[in-house]
């Protein structure tokens, strides 16, 4: 019976009103910007080391938990608003970026440095990173048990439980509707996420393009040997690359939480593959490509879930990854970090 | 005494490794030893030896799990160890094998069991060819991500497709048909019952040959072990053949192999298809033993555990793959209280192995030989340089 029930987002609906289309486009861009920010970690590391940082997904996941814990620590209430809310969010952003950056440096130290010095084949480095990724994700998933061992369960109760279920993020900012034109809605959170993600990316791009350290990164990615001869400390550059990727993943984690609202110990896996897809789609190693790839992926995913039902959303993005790798493995903008200079 | 002294006074008294001594044994002796080893493994779940046996779950079922991991590891070893292709979505083929048996044996049909196995193997091999044909042209690390995506797509399709019963999965999957003589099993084998270190034969608790019940895991284990032996025979023949050498050449240096006239793409595709074949077979056996499957069985974690089995054991060595599979499947069952931590432990193991022993616990013989040759070459070069200086 038509008209009796509102169109469920779970069911495919082929006749789409314009407002739905606009909503899909807008939320697609919001999610896509988060993917792009997350994808920077893959792109930067690939640009410098020519390796896929498989553990980057867990860097993101740890950042998301840092943000959640910061809110628990601050005892934030959902939608309380006011200047305190802005302060809380900034503190959560700092916590997420700090933890993600630290985890990224840890991954570099533990999973990559030795192999890089030995010049191991890429598959060995990938296996090493898979091992690191497993450990990071499972340690988070077993954090209640670990706290129990350390007899800290009573102290850390709110932080460690439930370890294997979704953990809710408390967003102190109210989610107001800023614009509502015939069903097309823009919510404040969405707008903040989109703007913040774009701002972070522009900041990073400028850093890599203009700063002395950024020049080192570009030099190593263009020609590692020549850079070493010119006095660029390769070890520092690699660390910096991981750190930058980690910081961006931490920011992406907070924005993701503001948009989606929950995280869990294995959230990184699927999101990581999507961010990697975004990186490859735009051209891995290319900073602007990561943004473009993220936006395209976000849109494709949203349109795809409208066409086939939202259960097929992940399938759409995986298929997109496969198709891109097959037909245009260098991505939309081509892969090169070295040529990031405009 | 005297014979041993004559043998040690042979022209070159060189210390020989166990492997070399084994290689020098006459063929009939080798065959007898192999038969004894095979017999031991067939009898293992009935011997039920203390310490080795699992106190909290049925040892026969655990042995079946170990055997099915071993079969998967053999298949993945062909893809990863021989041809050097990192396949992170191997669980996809396993799932295809299991779902084929489920769909055509229970959900949408009731084909006879052995036909189901053949069908499962055909479909998974075909899917391997379909996936491999376009993807094997991409770079090695990209291939890893594409296969990861493939494994996940298979799971998501099973989870979302109405036709595949979504998250409910498939129940009442047919078991292998019993082979009996006039309603009685062909023969029954009693087990040992241990009390401390003294064993008694428990005649009341027997395992029937070729009778596939719900409770007793031993007949399934025997079936899987027989399949493993067949696969091993094929594996030995294949690795020593032209195909095996082509894989090795492709793995070591694809461009050099191509220049020497090895059609590398075709051989990579063959390895992929062989891997899919064995993965599908193993998934089909798994489904037949479990009787019920659902998409949550076939997660990427399982894929990673398969990978861990091959990498831990030593890529490219079939015995290494078997040992690795036994480690990955058996240890969590034996030490149930630590089962939750197995992913952490395997993550750590992968990390440590990649960093300190990338060739695995049991490196393949060629790798050892190559190491020795490399060392000798370095020595030669060293002396040459010394002579020049």
């Amino acid at each position: 019976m038509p008209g009796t029930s509102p169109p469920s987002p779970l069911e495919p609906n082929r006749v789409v009103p314009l407002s739905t289309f606009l909503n899909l486009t807008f939320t697609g861009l919001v999610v896509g910007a988060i993917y792009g920010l997350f994808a920077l970690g893959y792109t930067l590391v690939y640009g410098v080391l020519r390796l896929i940082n498989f553990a980057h997904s867990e860097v993101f996941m740890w950042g998301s938990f840092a943000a959640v814990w910061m809110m628990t620590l601050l005892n934030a209430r959902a939608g309380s608003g006011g200047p305190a809310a802005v302060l809380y969010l900034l503190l959560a952003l700092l916590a997420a970026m700090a933890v993600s950056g630290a985890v990224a440096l840890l991954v570099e130290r533990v999973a990559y440095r030795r192999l890089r010095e030995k010049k191991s084949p890429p598959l060995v480095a990938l296996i090493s990173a898979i091992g690191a990724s497993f450990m990071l994700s499972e340690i988070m998933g077993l954090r209640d048990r670990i706290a129990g061992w350390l007899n800290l369960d009573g102290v850390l109760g709110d932080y460690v439980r439930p370890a294997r279920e979704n953990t809710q993020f408390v967003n102190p900012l109210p989610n107001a509707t800023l614009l509502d034109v015939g069903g097309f809605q823009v919510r404040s959170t969405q707008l903040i996420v989109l703007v913040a993600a774009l701002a972070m990316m522009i900041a990073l791009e400028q850093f890599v393009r203009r700063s002395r350290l950024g020049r080192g990164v570009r030099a190593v990615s263009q020609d590692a040997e020549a850079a070493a001869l010119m006095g660029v400390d390769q070890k520092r550059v690699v660390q910096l690359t991981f750190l930058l990727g980690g910081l961006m993943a931490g920011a992406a984690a907070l924005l993701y939480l503001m948009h989606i609202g929950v995280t869990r110990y294995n959230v990184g896996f699927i999101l990581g593959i999507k961010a990697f897809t975004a990186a490859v789609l735009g051209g891995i190693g290319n900073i602007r490509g990561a943004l473009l790839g993220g936006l395209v992926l976000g849109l494709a995913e949203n349109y795809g879930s409208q066409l086939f039902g939202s259960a097929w959303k992940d399938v759409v993005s995986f298929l997109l990854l496969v198709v891109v790798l097959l037909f245009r493995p260098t991505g939309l903008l081509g892969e090169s970090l070295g040529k990031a200079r405009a | 005494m005297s014979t041993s002294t004559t043998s040690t006074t042979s022209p070159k008294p060189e210390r020989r490794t166990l492997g070399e001594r084994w290689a020098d044994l006459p063929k009939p002796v080798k065959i007898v030893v192999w038969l004894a080893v095979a017999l031991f493994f067939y009898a293992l779940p009935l011997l039920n030896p203390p310490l080795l046996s699992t106190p909290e779950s049925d040892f026969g079922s655990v042995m079946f799990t170990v055997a099915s991991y071993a079969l998967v590891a053999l298949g993945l070893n062909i893809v990863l160890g021989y041809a050097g292709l990192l396949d992170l979505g191997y669980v996809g083929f396993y799932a295809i094998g299991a779902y084929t048996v489920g769909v055509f044996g229970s959900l949408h049909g009731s084909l006879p069991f052995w036909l189901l196995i053949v069908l499962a193997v055909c479909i998974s091999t075909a899917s391997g060819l379909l996936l491999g044909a376009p993807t094997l042209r991409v770079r090695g690390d990209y291939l890893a991500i594409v296969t990861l995506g493939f494994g996940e797509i298979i799971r998501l399709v099973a989870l979302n497709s109405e036709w595949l019963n979504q998250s409910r999965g498939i129940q009442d999957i047919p078991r292998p048909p019993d082979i009996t003589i006039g309603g009685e099993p062909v023969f029954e084998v009693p087990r040992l019952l241990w009390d401390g270190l003294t064993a008694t034969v428990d005649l009341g608790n027997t395992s029937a040959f070729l009778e596939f019940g719900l409770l007793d895991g031993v007949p399934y284990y025997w079936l899987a072990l027989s399949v493993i032996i067949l696969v091993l025979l094929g594996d030995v023949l294949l690795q020593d053949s032209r195909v095996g050498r082509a894989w090795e050449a492709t793995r070591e240096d694809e461009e050099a192999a191509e220049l020497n006239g090895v059609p590398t793409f075709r051989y990579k595709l063959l390895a992929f298809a062989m891997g899919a074949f064995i993965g599908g077979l193993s998934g089909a056996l798994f489904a037949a033993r479990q009787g019920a499957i659902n998409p949550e069985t076939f997660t990427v974690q399982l894929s990673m555990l398969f990978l861990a089995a091959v990498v831990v054991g030593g890529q490219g060595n079939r015995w290494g793959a078997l040992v690795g599979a036994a480690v990955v499947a058996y240890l969590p069952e034996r030490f149930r209280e630590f089962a939750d931590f197995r992913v952490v432990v395997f993550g750590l193991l992968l990390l440590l192995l990649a960093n300190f022993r990338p060739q695995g616990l049991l490196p393949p013989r060629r790798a050892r030989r190559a190491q020795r040759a490399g060392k000798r070459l370095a020595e030669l070069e060293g002396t040459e340089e010394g002579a020049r200086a």
Side-chain angles (χ1 to χ4, degrees), chain B residues 294-315:
Chain B
N294 72 62
E296 288 317 304
T297 316
F298 307 103
T299 57
V300 174
Q301 288 214 336
L302 192 61
S303 224
M304 297 298 171
L305 289 181
F306 294 157
L307 179 75
V310 177
V311 173
V312 167
Q315 310 165 30

Side-chain angles (χ1 to χ4, degrees), chain B residues 1 5 10 42 75 98 101 105 111 116 126-127 156 159 167 214 225 233 237 253 288 291 304 322 334 365:
Chain B
M1 270 302 218
T5 45
S10 54
Y42 274 104
V101 170
L111 297 179
L116 282 174
S127 67
L156 288 170
L159 188 63
S167 61
L214 194 60
L225 189 59
L233 286 177
L237 292 177
D253 189 334
M304 297 298 171
L322 292 179
R334 177 69 184 79
R365 201 180 299 163

